[in-house]
Amino acid sequence: MDNSPRTSPLLAGLALVGAGLVLRQIQPSVLSLPEPDKADRNDHGVRRAARKSRDGLAGLLPKNLTGSIGRSLMIMGLGLVTIRALDAIVDDKDALY
């Protein structure tokens, strides 16, 4: 017995899209990554490997992680809304949500 309204997935999807849009607009500085240090270092061994790995990974990540989080929330929300819209077209016995 399902007591949830049929619009719950639709509202949740719209809330996810809204949260993603807000995060992409605000982009708080807490999740900003520092710029990599371009100065040459005289480190060797494990420290050099750790620094090179850190700088390489920082080059792949966005400058502010909220952009990626916001994009992910928007994709999840749009997916949920799309599934709910398509689910409305399908017969009730085959509906997923």
Side-chain angles (χ1 to χ4, degrees), residues 42-76:
N42 273 341
D43 53 2
H44 300 286
V46 174
R47 285 182 184 244
R48 180 182 173 105
R51 182 179 52 81
K52 292 274 192 184
S53 298
R54 179 201 63 200
D55 292 345
L57 184 60
L60 296 174
L61 293 174
K63 299 299 178 214
N64 192 308
L65 294 177
T66 54
S68 294
I69 294 169
R71 187 179 320 111
S72 297
L73 286 173
M74 290 186 326
I75 290 171
M76 287 187 302

Side-chain angles (χ1 to χ4, degrees), residues 13-68:
L14 291 174
L16 286 171
V17 170
L21 287 171
V22 167
L23 276 176
R24 285 186 59 95
Q25 288 297 322
I26 293 175
Q27 293 193 0
S29 61
V30 173
L31 295 177
S32 292
L33 296 176
E35 292 293 325
D37 188 11
K38 300 291 183 185
D40 287 334
R41 301 281 185 209
N42 273 341
D43 53 2
H44 300 286
V46 174
R47 285 182 184 244
R48 180 182 173 105
R51 182 179 52 81
K52 292 274 192 184
S53 298
R54 179 201 63 200
D55 292 345
L57 184 60
L60 296 174
L61 293 174
K63 299 299 178 214
N64 192 308
L65 294 177
T66 54
S68 294

Side-chain angles (χ1 to χ4, degrees), residues 65-92:
L65 294 177
T66 54
S68 294
I69 294 169
R71 187 179 320 111
S72 297
L73 286 173
M74 290 186 326
I75 290 171
M76 287 187 302
L78 287 174
L80 188 57
V81 168
T82 303
I83 287 174
R84 181 62 189 106
L86 293 173
D87 205 24
I89 298 170
V90 178
D91 291 334
D92 283 338

